[in-house]
Amino acid sequence: MKKLLFALFSILILTGCSSRSPENSEEYSDSEVTVETTAVTLEAIVKSNKNQKYDFEVSDDSIKIIADGGALQTINGDFSVLTEYSSPTTLIDTEDYNFDGYNDLFVPTKFYEDNSEGVYYKFNSDTGRFEIWQELNRIGHVFHFGDNNTLVYNAKNPAKNSYESFEHIWSNDELILCRRTVTFIDKESNSACTEVYSVDSDSNETLIETIKRDLNENPLDFD
């Protein structure tokens, strides 16, 4: 089952650093972000950010960000996928993705079985505003947090009937791919096999570990 897959991911050891991840084909610009007139002070905005005290008003073509009763800014775009849900505001993630002490935004625009894609907005503490984040948007997948301040996303590879995990680390405001893991079914040994690769600065991969689980004892379903 998928729980076993992610259990396999969790026992792998972080190593090395590498080149940038494959880029997202979509591009976003700051023209999609507009600022609302508000009486909320910069100090109050920054404090709200640290405390994650945001409310959102979501429509098909905009998201209004609200804090301390004031409208801070409006993000324009196609958010109709969110309004298909009864509680669209719960789909917006507020996390500190670059570990600078301020919370950023991830707004999903596409949902898949095991992943989602969307747009990242970085919080600028000097202006109190969220800005288009090109460095994360070139990848565009939803990240979760790994060990040692890393960002990880998982994706299914239907062509190879496998799951892949991509782990990244920050270096001078650039997100670097450090490790890739692949989990697949080895039919010859009837086992779930996880291969762990470190990736160097030239994008060369080195197999550093292989883990196998007997499917007779621990069935794993990729369907």
Side-chain angles (χ1 to χ4, degrees):
M1 304 301 290
K2 291 173 184 163
K3 291 183 178 179
L4 173 59
L5 169 64
F6 292 110
L8 292 176
F9 286 153
S10 66
I11 63 176
L12 305 178
I13 302 172
L14 173 66
T15 61
C17 282
S18 80
S19 59
R20 298 156 69 91
S21 297
E23 296 192 359
N24 182 20
S25 59
E26 297 187 56
E27 294 184 358
Y28 306 92
S29 68
D30 288 320
S31 64
E32 296 175 337
V33 181
T34 58
V35 178
E36 296 287 325
T37 301
T38 175
V40 182
T41 65
L42 177 60
E43 181 181 1
I45 292 172
V46 173
K47 183 178 180 180
S48 294
N49 177 277
K50 287 180 173 290
N51 294 332
Q52 290 187 322
K53 293 182 178 179
Y54 287 113
D55 292 316
F56 303 99
E57 293 182 3
V58 181
S59 66
D60 286 346
D61 58 7
S62 68
I63 296 175
K64 182 172 289 187
I65 304 170
I66 301 169
D68 293 332
L72 303 183
Q73 65 187 105
T74 298
I75 298 171
N76 301 303
D78 182 4
F79 303 114
S80 56
V81 67
L82 300 181
T83 58
E84 295 176 4
Y85 295 83
S86 58
S87 300
T89 59
T90 62
L91 302 174
I92 301 173
D93 290 337
T94 307
E95 300 285 356
D96 181 7
Y97 290 104
N98 61 344
F99 311 103
D100 65 350
Y102 298 101
N103 291 297
D104 312 297
L105 296 182
F106 173 76
V107 180
T109 55
K110 296 178 183 178
F111 293 98
Y112 303 101
E113 179 183 356
D114 301 290
N115 198 355
S116 62
E117 294 180 3
V119 188
Y120 285 91
Y121 300 88
K122 181 181 179 180
F123 183 74
N124 186 333
S125 60
D126 292 331
T127 63
R129 309 300 180 190
F130 290 96
E131 302 171 350
I132 290 288
W133 202 348
Q134 299 293 4
E135 181 59 19
L136 289 187
N137 288 334
R138 68 178 177 80
I139 298 174
H141 292 280
V142 61
F143 285 102
H144 65 269
F145 296 98
D147 296 330
N148 303 315
N149 289 347
T150 58
L151 298 179
V152 184
Y153 76 85
N154 301 314
K156 185 176 182 179
N157 187 333
K160 296 183 178 180
N161 198 30
S162 65
Y163 283 88
E164 297 187 33
S165 175
F166 302 86
E167 188 157 1
H168 304 73
I169 193 168
W170 286 104
S171 177
N172 298 322
D173 294 325
E174 183 176 321
L175 199 61
I176 304 297
L177 180 63
C178 293
R179 184 184 67 179
R180 184 175 72 93
T181 67
V182 184
T183 298
F184 59 93
I185 295 177
D186 184 349
K187 294 183 178 180
E188 291 187 3
S189 61
N190 195 32
S191 62
C193 180
T194 296
E195 296 178 344
V196 188
Y197 297 88
S198 63
V199 192
D200 65 21
S201 58
D202 294 320
S203 300
N204 299 312
E205 295 188 342
T206 301
L207 179 63
I208 59 174
E209 187 174 8
T210 301
I211 302 170
K212 289 189 176 183
R213 292 289 184 89
D214 189 341
L215 290 179
N216 292 320
E217 299 179 0
N218 300 285
L220 182 62
D221 183 10
F222 282 90
D223 297 326

